[in-house]
Amino acid sequence: DAMVIQNPRYQVTQFGKPVTLSCSQTLNHNVMYWYQQKSSQAPKLLFHYYDKDFNNEADTPDNFQSRRPNTSFCFLDIRSPGLGDAAMYLCATGPFGGGNEKLFFGSGTQLSVL
Amino acid sequence: QKEVEQNSGPLSVPEGAIASLNCTYSDRGSQSFFWYRQYSGKSPELIMFIYSNGDKEDGRFTAQLNKASQYVSLLIRDSQPSDSATYLCAVGRSNDYKLSFGAGTTVTVRA
């Protein structure tokens, strides 16, 4: 019955070793978002897709990339993880992409970097 | 100045009491206001949203909005231990895809 699914739930990687986090949705929403959330901080938007259109936040490091091969799936690639990239990564969806709509979050992926 | 400000807490309330959480925002053009509950190590879950000035009630939760004062609050009545979580305030506008989140207020309900 899950609507936004993130895998894996926990990911451990080594410093500098590329890692990919995945998100899938059964809601058929147009918009998929990736947020980074560090302990006791607000979720920080990294980028989002409106359909196939990719929108990067100005302060998102180049180390973070994303792919959306189809409506249902979206991936977050971290090319060379640093210790500062350890965080919870949240995928969320929305039907239309307006700031007045509710977001549906996945369960998150907790990334650790050793 | 942060766009959305919340008292980080922790806010400790006894079981059965009312928990009152506050949120202020800087963008006067904000139109949509959301409260998300986040348990430790879990993802945010929407519990309330409000678009118009005044109160909106849903079960034990009441959201209150005052756009003139740029202030939105959440009341949790008859607090239960299961309400112990961090509550995130989020603010948006229809012509901007981006929600602005506060850092959250941590609530602890004492049994």
Side-chain angles (χ1 to χ4, degrees):
Chain A
D1 214 14
M3 295 180 290
V4 183
I5 302 164
Q6 290 188 245
N7 285 303
R9 181 70 182 88
Y10 300 95
Q11 176 73 57
V12 180
T13 191
Q14 292 180 335
F15 183 93
K17 185 174 181 181
V19 66
T20 295
L21 311 182
S22 74
C23 177
S24 64
Q25 55 130 343
T26 59
L27 297 164
N28 205 34
H29 282 170
N30 283 326
V31 192
M32 296 186 78
Y33 304 84
W34 280 104
Y35 285 87
Q36 178 194 64
Q37 188 182 25
K38 297 185 177 180
S39 181
S40 301
Q41 295 185 20
K44 177 182 182 297
L45 183 63
L46 296 174
F47 25 60
H48 76 281
Y49 275 93
Y50 184 90
D51 197 9
K52 296 181 180 179
D53 293 332
F54 177 71
N55 299 273
N56 199 29
E57 293 300 296
D59 57 354
T60 299
D62 292 340
N63 198 25
F64 292 85
Q65 303 287 321
S66 185
R67 297 169 282 136
R68 188 177 186 185
N70 54 52
T71 302
S72 301
F73 286 87
C74 196
F75 300 97
L76 169 61
D77 301 308
I78 308 176
R79 293 193 294 189
S80 182
L83 298 179
D85 297 328
M88 172 79 87
Y89 289 87
L90 298 165
C91 174
T93 71
F96 306 115
N100 58 347
E101 68 183 16
K102 308 163 206 173
L103 296 183
F104 295 79
F105 283 90
S107 55
T109 294
Q110 184 68 52
L111 177 69
S112 299
V113 182
L114 304 180
Chain B
Q1 182 189 6
K2 292 182 182 175
E3 293 182 39
V4 179
E5 299 219 39
Q6 298 181 252
N7 190 328
S8 62
L11 175 64
S12 181
V13 297
E15 185 173 358
I18 296 175
S20 178
L21 291 73
N22 303 319
C23 172
T24 58
Y25 58 94
S26 60
D27 181 2
R28 282 203 168 272
S30 298
Q31 299 166 300
S32 311
F33 307 86
F34 305 89
W35 284 99
Y36 286 84
R37 178 176 62 199
Q38 187 173 27
Y39 292 114
S40 180
K42 305 293 186 184
S43 64
E45 172 194 13
L46 181 67
I47 55 170
M48 288 289 288
F49 60 93
I50 186 166
Y51 301 132
S52 304
N53 276 332
D55 294 1
K56 179 181 178 182
E57 187 174 317
D58 184 0
R60 295 185 295 110
F61 298 99
T62 298
Q64 300 174 316
L65 175 61
N66 184 327
K67 289 185 179 180
S69 301
Q70 296 176 239
Y71 174 96
V72 58
S73 65
L74 179 71
L75 300 178
I76 308 173
R77 290 184 303 281
D78 188 23
S79 295
Q80 302 296 309
S82 60
D83 295 325
S84 297
T86 296
Y87 291 80
L88 301 172
C89 173
V91 174
R93 51 195 306 172
S94 62
N95 62 350
D96 185 357
Y97 61 89
K98 190 173 178 177
L99 276 185
S100 296
F101 281 89
T105 297
T106 299
V107 173
T108 302
V109 180
R110 311 187 301 270

